[in-house]
Amino acid sequence: MFIDALGWEIVNKHGFCDQELPCRYPVRMQFGYSSTALPTILSGRKPTAHKHLSFYYYNPEKSPFKIFRCLMLQYLPGRIFNRWRVRHILSRIIKKLYGFTGYFELYSMPFDRLPFFDYCEKKDIFAAGGLAPLENLCDLLKEAGIPYLISDWRQPEEYNIRQMRAAVNDGSIEFGFLYTAGLDGFLHDRISDSGAVARKLAGYEQEVKNLLRAAENNYDDFTFALISDHGMTPLRGTCDLKTRIDRLGLKFGKDYAAVYDSTMARFWFFSPSARLRIMEVLAGEKNARLLTPAQKQEYGIDFPDNMFGEEILLCDPGIQIVPGDMSLRALAGMHGYSPGDKDSRASYLSNREPVRPPEWVGDYFALMRERISGN
Ligand SMILES: [Zn+2]
């Protein structure tokens, strides 16, 4: 069972499932967001191998958003087109138009900047061949030829939980991957409301108990593992970097390109002078620092072609880039900070000791593979 954003901090604070799942380990998150954590979990490989980090990367030649140049959506009233709901509907139209099967959202990306970027999750990463040429969880299961169920991430989590419980109740599967993402959205808004978090977690705890009971009644032997991708860090402050870079008067797409994720800003430079002027602004940023080559290597994001940016500025824990390309406003909680920070840590909770305790979220893959092959 995957619970997005079930961090080690809240697990311990609330004693989440401590009776039912006594084998418990903090796990180092993959640097980045769920967009890179999920491919890492589903393949056991680093971003340099599966090539998923943040959603957007500079690639004007292959950009599926070239159409935005003609549509001139940037001239439409921002008060309408910056609304989340309107952008969500627009995202669905684009997704259908291009036949994208992956998770696709425009977020708050400015329409006039979109034609400079490509999007890394065009394919459904959970489906067979979704991370080709790498092998993913679905490929493993198909190869093993055992009956399995991987939840459809497009469905609401209530549906996914019900569907998994039904499959366990009639003993029709040998492996299940239950995907839930409701906690992530909840914690983005309410991480600081301890009472509300406790109530939300109690709901998940009940679902875990139901699943365990169903497994006990229908299987001679089973392993239940609850896994997560990262934690959630309460808001501590904001950083208006995008506004300050815009004010330099450089031309986007000609002098430089940038993506402002919630906790990091990624830059591509097209002239030495643009680089110099931007680097000056970045150096003056008090609540963020540039990733060093050693850190990029450690996080598995040392792309030889700088696919996701030549320079990456990472905010200190709790600081959000506002306004940014992912959101125009600050949220109560965010993730995507240093994997070493305590609030970043993910969790592995199980009814049974793992063969090797997972240290990094990518280690779940080897554990799943062992269960699938029956070793
Ligand atoms: Zn999130």
Side-chain angles (χ1 to χ4, degrees), residues 172-193:
S172 60
I173 54 166
E174 285 179 38
F175 184 95
F177 187 101
L178 170 54
Y179 174 86
T180 73
L183 184 67
D184 181 69
F186 179 87
L187 292 178
H188 275 300
D189 291 333
R190 308 191 66 180
I191 180 72
S192 304
D193 183 346

Side-chain angles (χ1 to χ4, degrees), residues 4 34 184-185 188 230 232 335:
D4 199 320
S34 300
D184 181 69
H188 275 300
H230 52 72
M232 189 69 73
H335 47 87

Side-chain angles (χ1 to χ4, degrees), residues 50-347:
H50 57 61
K51 307 223 184 317
H52 289 246
L53 184 55
S54 290
F55 287 127
Y56 290 93
Y57 62 98
Y58 181 74
N59 192 358
E61 291 82 31
K62 294 210 174 132
S63 174
F65 310 109
K66 281 179 196 166
I67 186 173
F68 278 77
R69 281 194 215 274
C70 342
L71 283 181
M72 297 204 283
L73 284 169
Q74 65 266 37
Y75 299 115
L76 293 169
R79 67 180 188 284
I80 295 174
F81 273 81
N82 285 333
R83 279 192 199 143
W84 174 257
R85 178 110 198 102
V86 174
R87 281 184 165 258
H88 182 66
I89 292 167
L90 201 55
S91 303
R92 279 169 52 185
I93 295 171
I94 293 170
K95 192 175 158 169
K96 191 133 191 156
L97 206 63
Y98 288 105
F100 296 164
T101 52
Y103 176 85
F104 180 77
E105 274 298 339
L106 286 173
Y107 293 95
S108 299
M109 282 292 275
F111 293 126
D112 57 339
R113 294 184 178 184
L114 273 171
F116 294 104
F117 297 100
D118 202 348
Y119 190 86
C120 76
E121 204 172 307
K122 286 181 277 201
K123 281 203 294 183
D124 180 0
I125 57 172
F126 284 87
L131 287 169
L134 302 185
E135 195 173 39
N136 72 4
L137 177 66
C138 187
D139 298 326
L140 273 191
L141 287 161
K142 283 203 182 303
E143 199 182 308
I146 59 169
Y148 69 90
L149 173 62
I150 299 178
S151 310
D152 182 353
W153 52 270
R154 300 166 190 87
Q155 298 294 338
E157 71 177 25
E158 296 73 26
Y159 173 89
N160 287 342
I161 292 170
R162 233 182 309 126
Q163 184 194 36
M164 189 60 73
R165 204 169 53 216
V168 174
N169 264 328
D170 50 53
S172 60
I173 54 166
E174 285 179 38
F175 184 95
F177 187 101
L178 170 54
Y179 174 86
T180 73
L183 184 67
D184 181 69
F186 179 87
L187 292 178
H188 275 300
D189 291 333
R190 308 191 66 180
I191 180 72
S192 304
D193 183 346
S194 196
V197 174
R199 285 191 296 280
K200 185 81 177 165
L201 289 181
Y204 285 105
E205 191 164 301
Q206 190 53 51
E207 298 298 354
V208 169
K209 283 181 187 164
N210 295 343
L211 282 164
L212 285 170
R213 201 172 321 120
E216 275 156 17
N217 291 339
N218 295 287
Y219 291 83
D220 296 331
D221 185 34
F222 70 92
T223 299
F224 183 99
L226 207 156
I227 58 175
S228 71
D229 48 353
H230 52 72
M232 189 69 73
T233 309
L235 176 68
R236 203 162 55 77
T238 58
C239 160
D240 66 345
L241 181 68
K242 183 178 184 179
T243 316
R244 278 181 292 128
I245 298 289
D246 284 352
R247 247 186 249 138
L248 288 176
L250 297 168
K251 196 157 168 29
F252 197 95
K254 185 171 166 284
D255 298 319
Y256 78 107
V259 178
Y260 302 90
D261 296 323
S262 310
T263 64
M264 61 172 141
R266 300 177 284 117
F267 294 89
W268 294 260
F269 308 105
F270 310 131
S271 81
S273 66
R275 169 182 269 273
L276 199 72
R277 293 188 58 202
I278 289 172
M279 290 302 270
E280 247 171 38
V281 176
L282 302 187
E285 185 49 58
K286 288 191 179 54
N287 292 315
R289 44 231 76 238
L290 285 170
L291 290 187
T292 64
Q295 281 172 317
K296 287 183 185 170
Q297 195 184 15
E298 184 192 333
Y299 302 154
I301 57 165
D302 48 334
F303 294 88
D305 58 354
N306 291 322
M307 180 175 169
F308 290 92
E310 293 167 33
E311 294 288 351
I312 299 177
L313 186 84
L314 175 67
C315 291
D316 290 343
I319 305 295
Q320 295 174 29
I321 298 179
V322 177
D325 294 333
M326 295 293 115
S327 175
L328 298 175
R329 63 181 181 97
L331 301 179
M334 190 44 72
H335 47 87
Y337 297 102
S338 162
D341 189 57
K342 69 173 177 56
D343 289 313
S344 291
R345 289 181 300 185
S347 325

